[in-house]
């Protein structure tokens, strides 16, 4: 709200999208509708991810991957931007009540992927794993995050630019659409900066070069 003009703006991983400015005095109905509609948005519409729940410490909790519950023991990396991939990496293990069940530490990489890119990270990892390439993570599985059966995507805020299965104009084709994806990988390893001996550090660098 700037003086007597109101703009409704949505910020997401594809950037910002805004309405034109409306004068709140000459367009009181639009002003009221925006205010009331915003008040009645639920937590998911406001941007909350219902598939992840963090504890009060903000560092541990749990998440769901393809319906299965995984315990978050550490957040390894957070990309501190709004627009873009927004990558977050979690150290997790399966939620198992039986202490004798597999409790292997795994990695969940959560990111928003540009749908215009032909090859996804999961696809590339599958090719590398099948070829037996050393030094890359083993892909266990991947998913497109969904809420109530609908893929989580920045397309929802931009659907009005898409008519009859096609973009409405040539300019609209340049609109960036990102899809919320997760990949489950192993093994979990310490950060390179946490090396315990100089020999371990040099060995790791040699392996990277190799």
């Amino acid at each position: 709200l700037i003086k007597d003009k109101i703009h409704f703006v949505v910020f997401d991983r594809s950037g910002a999208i805004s309405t034109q400015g409306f004068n709140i005095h000459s367009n009181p109905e639009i002003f009221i509708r925006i205010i009331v509609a915003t008040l009645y948005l639920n937590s998911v519409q406001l941007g909350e991810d219902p598939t992840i729940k963090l504890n009060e410490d903000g560092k541990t909790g749990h998440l769901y991957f393809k319906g299965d519950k995984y315990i978050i023991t550490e957040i390894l990396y957070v990309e501190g931007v709004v627009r873009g991939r927004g990558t977050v990496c979690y150290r997790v293990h399966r939620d198992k009540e039986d202490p004798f069940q597999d409790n292997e530490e795994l990695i969940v990489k959560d990111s928003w992927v540009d749908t215009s890119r032909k090859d996804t990270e999961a696809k590339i990892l599958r090719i590398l794993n099948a070829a037996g390439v050393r030094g890359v993570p083993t892909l266990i599985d991947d998913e497109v995050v969904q809420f109530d059966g609908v893929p989580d995507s920045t397309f929802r805020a931009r659907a009005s630019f898409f008519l009859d299965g096609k973009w409405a104009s040539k300019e609209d084709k340049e609109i960036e659409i990102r899809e919320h994806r997760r990949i489950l990988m192993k093994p979990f390893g310490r950060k390179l900066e946490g090396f315990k001996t100089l020999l371990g550090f040099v060995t790791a660098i040699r392996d990277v070069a190799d």
Side-chain angles (χ1 to χ4, degrees):
L1 183 62
I2 304 174
K3 291 187 176 181
D4 57 357
K5 274 194 173 183
I6 189 169
H7 301 253
F8 188 77
V9 187
V10 173
F11 296 92
D12 60 19
R13 296 300 181 187
S14 289
I17 185 169
S18 172
T19 66
Q20 64 184 21
F22 296 99
N23 186 289
I24 62 175
H25 301 297
S26 57
N27 298 277
E29 183 180 345
I30 293 177
F31 174 59
I32 297 292
R33 288 176 63 185
I34 289 176
I35 298 300
V36 173
T38 303
L39 288 173
Y40 282 93
L41 290 175
N42 61 40
S43 61
V44 175
Q45 291 169 328
L46 285 170
E48 182 185 25
D49 183 347
T51 66
I52 295 180
K53 179 66 175 179
L54 295 181
N55 298 327
E56 291 184 0
D57 62 7
K59 300 177 181 179
T60 59
H62 65 266
L63 60 80
Y64 289 91
F65 184 96
K66 286 193 169 180
D68 293 328
K69 186 177 181 180
Y70 289 80
I71 304 302
I72 300 171
T73 56
E74 184 182 0
I75 298 178
L76 301 170
Y77 175 79
V78 177
E79 189 173 322
V81 296
V82 175
R83 181 177 180 176
R85 291 179 64 88
T87 301
V88 182
C89 294
Y90 301 94
R91 177 183 179 182
V92 304
H93 61 78
R94 291 181 176 88
D95 182 30
K96 298 286 187 179
E97 295 182 359
D98 186 344
F100 296 101
Q101 289 285 353
D102 176 23
N103 204 29
E104 183 180 15
E105 289 190 306
L106 306 169
I107 301 294
V108 169
K109 184 175 182 180
D110 183 295
S111 57
W112 290 77
V113 179
D114 187 343
T115 57
S116 67
R117 297 194 175 190
K118 181 179 179 181
D119 296 324
T120 64
E121 184 173 3
K123 178 181 177 181
I124 294 171
L125 280 175
R126 281 195 176 92
I127 294 172
L128 295 176
N129 290 164
V133 176
R134 298 187 302 111
V136 296
T138 298
L139 177 70
I140 299 173
D141 207 348
D142 69 298
E143 71 164 347
V144 176
V145 178
Q146 299 193 11
F147 303 152
D148 298 325
V150 179
D152 192 18
S153 167
T154 61
F155 176 76
R156 288 177 295 178
R158 292 156 178 78
S160 59
F161 297 91
F162 200 77
L163 303 173
D164 298 325
K166 297 180 180 179
W167 290 109
S169 68
K170 292 182 179 179
E171 290 77 14
D172 293 336
K173 291 182 180 180
E174 303 301 320
I175 293 176
E176 180 181 272
I177 300 297
R178 290 185 176 271
E179 194 170 56
H180 191 185
R181 291 179 171 269
R182 288 191 184 129
I183 54 178
L184 182 64
M185 303 176 289
K186 67 177 184 180
F188 166 76
R190 294 189 307 273
K191 293 182 180 179
L192 183 59
E193 64 197 45
F195 67 90
K196 295 183 177 180
T197 66
L198 185 58
L199 176 60
F201 175 75
V202 173
T203 301
I205 295 297
R206 182 200 63 187
D207 289 346
V208 170
D210 183 56

